[in-house]
Amino acid sequence: MFSLKDKRIRMNWITLFLWAMVFFNMMPQRLHAEPQFVTIGSGDITGVYYPTALIIAKMINSKRDVYEVRAAAELSSGSVFNANAVLAGYMEFGLVQSDVQYQAINGQAKWKKKGPQKELRAVFSINHESVCLVAAVDAGINAITDLKGKKVNLGNPGSGQYRNAIDALLALGLKPKTDIDAQKARAAEAPVLLQDNRIDAFFCTVGHPSETLQNASTCERKVRFIPITGSGIDQLVADQNYYTRTTVPVAQFYPGAENSAAVETFGVIATLCTSASVPGHVVYAITKEVIGNFSEFKRQHPALGDLAKQDMLKGLTAPFHAGALKYFKEVGLK
């Protein structure tokens, strides 16, 4: 027969054993609930990419207990950098211009030596971006051909806008290395350079409204937006399916500029890219949160205001990531 003391000891051991079982059974669940951290490469702080990345990160972070994903927006030098960072595994997502996405997946431009980047994957498209040319009024520039002999900022070579500027110049018969005094400063620096008379004009590929363009059009040295048009541009858009015809809404967003009518130009589409190695559930979560709460997403920035859900599947030249494709099929978009 057990004594009362023995029974108490036995009950204590049984209790400890049961608590231990509960603890060890809960451990895998707790480990699984730890959120996976991802970064979203954006662009310059004055552009649309950075606030867009912040919006996506905020939306996914508000549901971190649901998706088990935590995100952060990261400043970067632009599309080319973002594509390379995603491919190298340094970042999980990156905002990339549609032309840069095309060049990477097909081994062109910056990837000519490396060859096709087959691991790149598309998630969804976002807003349209205009290739803008802003010139000081006192520089006597009224057309893109007037840039000859002028100091012109083309943008950071690590950005998509640098390639856009080169394409525009070549399409209209100007040689970037000899016909202009080419500068390579970041887009956010261009308005200050213009005001300091260190450049006469600058290119900028942006969604609207753009803080960079607002800064440029409200300073003491007056500016005008220059149309980027002509048969060469028509041929460029026809040859390269990632380019589209568009306009710069000067009167709506940049009333300080000398010209107030909409200015014709060409443009690209901002896209969210990732790598084939990023887990499907992570890509699915971001796709579902953004498109599943589409009205909220659009309200967060004026550049997103004209988006339609169907537009977010356009302008993508890389294959869809399986996680994004899964959501699109669930809601009948694909």
Side-chain angles (χ1 to χ4, degrees), residues 83 147 289 315:
L147 293 177
E289 183 59 21

Side-chain angles (χ1 to χ4, degrees), residues 52-220:
T52 300
L54 283 174
I55 291 163
I56 295 172
K58 181 181 177 181
M59 291 180 75
I60 199 71
N61 288 340
S62 69
K63 302 280 185 65
R64 70 175 66 183
D65 293 338
V66 176
Y67 299 121
E68 298 178 2
V69 177
R70 188 163 61 92
E74 186 168 324
L75 289 168
S76 80
S77 58
S79 293
V80 174
F81 178 89
N82 291 345
N84 280 326
V86 165
L87 289 164
Y90 171 61
M91 296 188 298
E92 288 73 25
F93 297 90
L95 289 164
V96 176
Q97 291 179 192
S98 55
D99 55 325
V100 172
Q101 182 188 126
Y102 179 89
Q103 291 156 3
I105 202 73
N106 289 285
Q108 298 178 4
K110 289 287 184 179
W111 294 275
K112 193 171 183 179
K113 291 183 179 179
K114 293 181 181 179
Q117 303 299 297
K118 297 300 184 183
E119 290 298 298
L120 193 65
R121 293 290 182 270
V123 183
F124 49 71
S125 291
I126 310 177
N127 59 289
H128 281 74
E129 301 179 289
S130 305
V131 180
C132 304
L133 175 56
V134 180
V137 171
D138 58 29
I141 300 168
N142 294 289
I144 194 169
T145 49
D146 295 333
L147 293 177
K148 200 165 186 178
K150 304 292 186 180
K151 291 183 179 180
V152 185
N153 190 57
L154 304 182
N156 188 314
S159 66
Q161 75 171 39
Y162 181 83
R163 183 71 248 175
N164 303 150
I166 297 293
D167 284 351
L169 292 169
L170 293 174
L172 294 171
L174 290 174
K175 299 175 182 178
K177 292 184 179 180
T178 57
D179 288 341
I180 65 171
D181 183 354
Q183 306 296 308
K184 300 176 181 179
R186 294 170 65 92
E189 299 170 8
V192 175
L193 295 175
L194 194 75
Q195 289 302 309
D196 290 346
N197 291 287
R198 287 186 281 170
I199 60 172
D200 301 302
F202 66 88
F203 283 92
C204 188
T205 302
V206 292
H208 303 286
S210 159
E211 185 179 341
T212 297
L213 297 182
Q214 288 173 335
N215 289 341
S217 61
T218 55
C219 292
E220 185 176 351

Side-chain angles (χ1 to χ4, degrees), residues 200-315:
D200 301 302
F202 66 88
F203 283 92
C204 188
T205 302
V206 292
H208 303 286
S210 159
E211 185 179 341
T212 297
L213 297 182
Q214 288 173 335
N215 289 341
S217 61
T218 55
C219 292
E220 185 176 351
R221 193 182 187 195
K222 296 302 179 183
V223 302
R224 66 167 63 102
F225 285 80
I226 308 301
I228 306 179
T229 57
S231 58
I233 298 298
D234 293 338
Q235 192 61 51
L236 176 66
V237 173
D239 290 343
Q240 309 295 350
N241 64 358
Y242 46 75
Y243 282 141
T244 60
R245 299 311 307 250
T246 187
T247 59
V248 181
V250 180
Q252 184 178 359
F253 294 122
Y254 315 111
E258 185 195 55
N259 49 336
S260 58
V263 172
E264 292 186 9
T265 184
F266 69 105
V268 293
I269 300 174
T271 70
L272 184 66
C273 290
T274 188
S275 165
S277 62
V278 174
H281 76 277
V282 175
V283 181
Y284 176 88
I286 285 182
T287 308
K288 180 179 180 179
E289 183 59 21
V290 170
I291 298 180
N293 297 280
F294 191 61
S295 296
E296 179 188 348
F297 177 65
K298 288 175 58 175
R299 283 197 300 268
Q300 300 301 310
H301 196 282
L304 308 173
D306 293 332
L307 269 178
K309 284 186 180 181
Q310 292 77 11
D311 294 338
M312 300 186 80
L313 280 74
K314 297 177 181 177

Side-chain angles (χ1 to χ4, degrees), residues 18-30:
L18 291 174
W19 276 112
M21 289 295 293
V22 170
F23 175 77
F24 285 114
N25 283 334
M26 287 178 67
M27 280 186 66
Q29 185 177 354
R30 287 182 178 179

Side-chain angles (χ1 to χ4, degrees), residues 34-45:
E34 193 68 28
Q36 179 167 344
F37 183 78
V38 299
T39 55
I40 305 169
S42 59
D44 198 281
I45 197 167

